[in-house]
Each structure stands twice: as structure tokens, then as C-alpha cells.
Amino acid sequence: MAIKAHKVGIVGLGTVGSGVAKILLEEGERVRRHAGQPIELSRVVVRDLEKPRQCELPDKILTTDISEITNDPEISVVAQLIGGLEPARSIMLQLLESGKDVVTANKALLAEHGTELFNRARELGRSIAFEASVAGGVPIIANLSQCLSANQILSLRGILNGTSNFIVSQMEEHGADYSQAVAEAQRLGYAEADPTMDVDGTDAAQKLAILAHLAFGADVQWPDIPRIGIDGLDSTDLRWASELGYRVKLLAVARLNEDNLELHVSPTLVKLGTPLSEVRGANNAISVVGDMVGRVFYHGLGAGQLPTASAVVADLIDTTVGRSAITFRTLDLWSEATSKVLQTNHSSISGRYYMRFTVEDHPGVLADVSGSLGRNEISIASIIQREIDDDNVQGDDVSLVIMTHAATEGNAAAAVREIDALPSVRAGSVRMRVLD
Ligand code: NAP
Ligand code: HSE
């Protein structure tokens, strides 16, 4: 007797949607083995039937009419792979209300409307699976929600935006121009429809908010996460970082300090030779510390068609076999329950800093700069000023590069504000965190 196929649908056939269709259509036997029954791609909803697609689909499954999914009782699971907030939110609600379980890769949607969507899914007895929403092909959601559940997570440090890591790697390794590197990330399908979200730290903050919900039970809104992107990064600082024994990474950090949670996203000097410093190209990585397991490191492609589709298809399989429903019910994510931790006041966060000032080469300038640092309780660990400066500074100006001992964010920000106001200091001071 033939085993009945499980019918699924896709909404949105861009980079990720095409990858999901390819895997379902070309790797049907592998999928069947894991799902215990065949999974049949039954309908794919697009906006434009004529647009060229990156995959070959069987006849007649492409449609512009979402009701061909919502009105089909045989389709029980849908991969919703439209980016942005609308119409993604309305379509997600429509799918849930028509009785479908949903799989999504859309972190912006979850970070912005998670409470509404998860509550609605709970009311309707449906599930939402979202492995692909953070770190693409790296299975961090399943690991945090299931495999590490015996632990209190103590910290989580991640390179969560593949586009930013790709751009910085291109600049560092090939001396690529910033705009060309952005264009290449778009061409390769890594970037969001609006790549500003990638390079200004928004995408990483949205993913960090999702991980903070999972790992710490934090009710955190992504706009409340202090964030700096790579859009202001100067290749001069990539060179200095390398000379000092570091590599610059856009790092997303969630760290438990007693009963509050430190959260931020910023370009950070990461010590060469540590696993995070070796993460190149569109790869992502997350270093997690749990109180039982110790440190665990996850690494892999965080963006791109097939790595992301790999996570979506795994969620489709988990949903058809019923695993997603169990996880969704037990995790109680984005529920109205009170947050288990509060966010740390950003100015009290402590760490080492890299600072670069462009100053006039006059007597007393160094004393002024170190005086400001001292008044703000910042101790200098090392200082470099070169007789011959190759930072393309103007005329008699020179670069002053300082590594500090641990200082609070509030003191570091105040010192740089004070130093920037000195008459001998040119605009454009740089300050980045350091992770040893
Ligand atoms: P994309 O290439 O821009 O594809 C989005 C698709 O959605 C497009 O094909 C678009 O149609 C379609 N769409 C938009 N509105 C629609 C509507 N009303 N009805 C039907 N289709 C509609 O984006 P993507 O890279 O695949 O990303 C999809 C989601 O996955 C995003 O939330 C993104 O953040 C997330 N994600 C992406 C990656 C990655 O590496 N790309 C990795 C992880 C997560 P048209 O083709 O007509 O424009
Ligand atoms: N634009 C995202 C990135 C896709 O570059 O990481 C994966 O979420």
C-alpha cells in the first residue's frame, strides 16, 4: 500500500524559498526517510507568475492566490518565506487562522510581532518553527531550546549577520572596497532586501532578541538593544586591529550578570586565534556558556540559499512528524509571562576598549588625552603614536591608538566625548570593544 504524502506549501519564492523547493523536489527520498512519509510540495504562492525563478517547479503548483493554500485542507504546513513585516505578518496570521502550522526564516517579523503571532498560534493550537531565523544553517534554536535545556545559559556571544561578516572579511582579506563588498553580498543572496538592516546592526539585534527570549526568558524588544553596525567601519581600524593581534567582528552579546542581562551588538576587536576570530565570509558562529555543559561553539553558514533552506526543511520535517508542536507548546515563547531577567543599564557594562584619536602633533596633547581618560577612571594598557604615520591623516596630525584596561561603557563614552571636544583633537575618534 502506498504511503500517503504529507502536503506542504511555500509562500515566497526568493533566495530561501527556491532553496526549500529544490531540496523538497530533488532530495525527496532523504526527506521521506527523516519524515517517515513523503513530503509533497503542493502549492507555491508568488506575486508574479512570469518572474524567472531559481528552481524548476512541477506544472501548476505556482499560484498568486494564497487561498489555494488556505482553502486546501490537505496542506497542513506552510513555509512562509517572505521578508519584511507586511504582508508577511498578515499572511502568517491568515495561514494560522486557516489551520496551518507555519515555518519561517523571518527574524524581523518574529522580533517585531513575536508576541502577537505566538499568542495567536497558541490560541489556535498551531505551531511556529523558526530555526532558519537565526544563523541560517547553524542549528542554534534547536540547541538552545532542546539540547541545552539542563543548563542556565550564562553567556552567548555570536557573529549573527553573515552579510556583515562577509563584507568585513572581504575588506580585510582582499582589501575590497566597502560598497563593492555590499553589492557582492547582495548578488550571493546573503543580504536582506534592504541591506541597511544587515550593516547597521539591526538584523543582528533582532536575532539576539530572539536568542535572548530562548536562552534567558528575556522579554526584550530589539530596538532596546544598543547596537552599532559595520557601516561606519574604517579599514584603518582593521589594520590596527591586526597589528595589535585582533580581528574586527560584528559581535552580538548576551551575558547574565547576577539577575540582569547585558545585551549589545557592536564591531569588536576579537583576539586572534580564538574561535570567533576565525569566522570568515558569510559564516556565523555562536559561543554559548551553560552552567552545566561549559562552553559550546556553533559554526557554519549563516546566510545563503541552501544553508538557510536546510534549516527550513528540517523544520518542515519536524512539523510534519509533530516535534515542532511539542517544542512550541513546552517553550511557551513570547507569552505574557513576566520576563525572567531585566536588561542591564548599558552604561554600567564593563570591558576593554580600543580607541583611535586623530590629534595635532603638539606638546601637551598626549597629556590632555590621557588626563581625560584618567579623570574618567580609564587606565591605559598600551599606547601607539608613530613618527611616520601611514593612516592618511592630514598635515601635522597623527593617530593615537590606545588599548585600555577594563572600564565601564559610561566612562568610556564620557572620556571620548571629552577628548573629542579638545581643540587639538580632530573629528572622527573611534572606539570599539575588545574581546580577549
Ligand atoms: P527574497 O529573495 O527577497 O525573497 C522573498 C520572496 O518573497 C520574493 O520572491 C518575493 O516575491 C516574495 N514575496 C514578497 N511579497 C509576497 C507576497 N505578497 N506574496 C507572495 N510572495 C511574496 O528574500 P530571501 O532572501 O529569500 O529571504 C526570505 C526571508 O528569509 C527573509 O525574512 C530573510 O530575512 C530570511 N532569511 C534569509 C536568508 C538568506 O540568506 N537570504 C537567511 C536566513 C533568513 P518577488 O519574487 O515577486 O519579489
Ligand atoms: N541577511 C542575513 C545575514 C540573512 O546576512 O545574516 C540571514 O539571516
Side-chain angles (χ1 to χ4, degrees):
M1 194 180 78
I3 300 173
K4 199 164 175 261
H6 217 112
K7 296 194 174 182
V8 302
I10 294 178
V11 183
L13 196 64
T15 304
V16 183
S18 305
V20 173
K22 273 186 205 167
I23 298 177
L24 291 178
L25 296 168
E26 293 169 16
E27 304 298 341
E29 176 49 27
R30 186 187 302 170
V31 171
R32 186 201 61 74
R33 262 200 329 272
H34 287 281
Q37 65 187 106
I39 292 189
E40 180 188 322
L41 181 56
S42 193
R43 277 277 173 279
V44 177
V45 180
V46 293
R47 277 192 295 208
D48 177 1
L49 292 177
E50 303 309 319
K51 188 172 170 178
R53 301 289 163 184
Q54 300 167 47
C55 57
E56 294 267 328
L57 294 176
D59 285 348
K60 300 202 177 106
I61 72 167
L62 212 55
T63 173
T64 54
D65 183 1
I66 186 89
S67 71
E68 291 196 28
I69 285 186
T70 53
N71 289 341
D72 184 342
E74 291 200 0
I75 299 178
S76 57
V77 191
V78 181
Q80 201 279 70
L81 299 169
I82 301 175
L85 301 182
E86 283 296 350
R89 173 186 153 276
S90 312
I91 289 176
M92 183 100 137
L93 288 169
Q94 216 181 329
L95 292 169
L96 293 168
E97 275 154 15
S98 64
K100 316 299 177 196
D101 291 316
V102 180
V103 171
T104 186
N106 190 331
K107 62 277 163 153
L109 182 62
L110 297 183
E112 194 74 45
H113 295 297
T115 307
E116 178 192 21
L117 295 170
F118 278 63
N119 280 342
R120 194 69 189 121
R122 269 187 286 270
E123 283 162 15
L124 295 162
R126 305 273 44 105
S127 66
I128 299 172
F130 51 100
E131 182 64 68
S133 67
V134 180
V138 183
I140 187 64
I141 302 288
N143 270 274
L144 284 177
S145 37
Q146 295 160 42
C147 315
L148 296 178
S149 52
N151 290 263
Q152 168 61 59
I153 304 300
L154 302 175
S155 72
L156 194 153
R157 287 191 172 88
I159 294 171
L160 300 179
N161 185 262
T163 300
S164 296
N165 204 58
F166 174 82
I167 293 168
V168 177
S169 297
Q170 290 289 101
M171 289 167 72
E172 256 175 1
E173 291 166 27
H174 309 293
D177 164 79
Y178 177 82
S179 328
Q180 279 171 359
V182 175
E184 183 65 356
Q186 287 178 290
R187 191 185 69 76
L188 292 168
Y190 302 150
E192 295 302 302
D194 174 4
T196 315
M197 312 264 289
D198 291 295
V199 296
D200 73 358
T202 298
D203 178 81
Q206 289 174 335
K207 290 167 176 167
L208 185 63
I210 293 172
L211 295 184
H213 269 282
L214 273 175
F216 303 98
D219 180 17
V220 54
Q221 307 302 314
W222 74 265
D224 294 336
I225 298 180
R227 63 196 177 283
I228 303 171
I230 58 145
D231 42 358
L233 205 59
D234 190 326
S235 51
T236 302
D237 298 299
L238 301 183
R239 285 198 301 275
W240 276 113
S242 159
E243 183 169 331
L244 291 160
Y246 294 85
R247 198 168 273 135
V248 177
K249 296 286 164 201
L250 183 68
L251 215 60
V253 175
R255 193 156 65 114
L256 203 56
N257 301 316
E258 295 179 2
D259 55 358
N260 55 45
L261 191 63
E262 167 183 335
L263 289 167
H264 44 89
V265 172
S266 62
T268 301
L269 270 70
V270 179
K271 188 88 179 158
L272 280 176
T274 57
L276 281 170
S277 76
E278 296 303 325
V279 178
R280 310 289 179 90
N283 281 293
N284 280 189
I286 305 109
S287 170
V288 181
V289 179
D291 62 351
M292 297 295 137
V293 72
R295 187 177 298 279
V296 192
F297 192 74
Y298 303 90
H299 178 251
L301 278 168
Q305 184 171 80
L306 292 177
T308 311
S310 151
V312 174
V313 172
D315 272 350
L316 284 171
I317 293 171
D318 276 1
T319 307
T320 59
V321 303
R323 272 195 293 270
S324 300
I326 298 170
T327 312
F328 187 76
R329 200 173 55 242
T330 52
L331 278 181
D332 201 25
L333 285 171
W334 278 276
S335 71
E336 318 274 74
T338 329
S339 178
K340 292 193 193 109
V341 281
L342 293 178
Q343 200 171 332
T344 309
N345 176 351
H346 191 53
S347 63
S348 68
I349 289 167
S350 175
R352 262 159 50 78
Y353 289 91
Y354 157 93
M355 295 176 177
R356 178 169 63 84
F357 303 104
T358 307
V359 298
E360 289 174 9
D361 198 5
H362 289 164
V365 173
L366 187 53
D368 288 345
V369 170
S370 59
S372 289
L373 292 171
R375 273 192 300 285
N376 286 288
E377 296 174 44
I378 298 171
S379 165
I380 296 173
S382 72
I383 186 160
I384 306 175
Q385 179 188 324
R386 291 232 178 85
E387 206 154 326
I388 298 171
D389 199 310
D390 55 3
D391 282 354
N392 296 324
V393 291
Q394 307 224 315
D396 287 340
D397 296 348
V398 286
S399 295
L400 209 54
V401 173
I402 293 174
M403 296 288 276
T404 74
H405 289 298
T408 66
E409 168 68 24
N411 284 346
V416 171
R417 262 196 313 274
E418 209 176 297
I419 293 169
D420 277 346
L422 293 170
S424 49
V425 173
R426 303 291 174 217
S429 298
V430 176
R431 176 171 68 92
M432 284 192 268
R433 292 172 189 284
V434 176
L435 180 67
D436 287 298

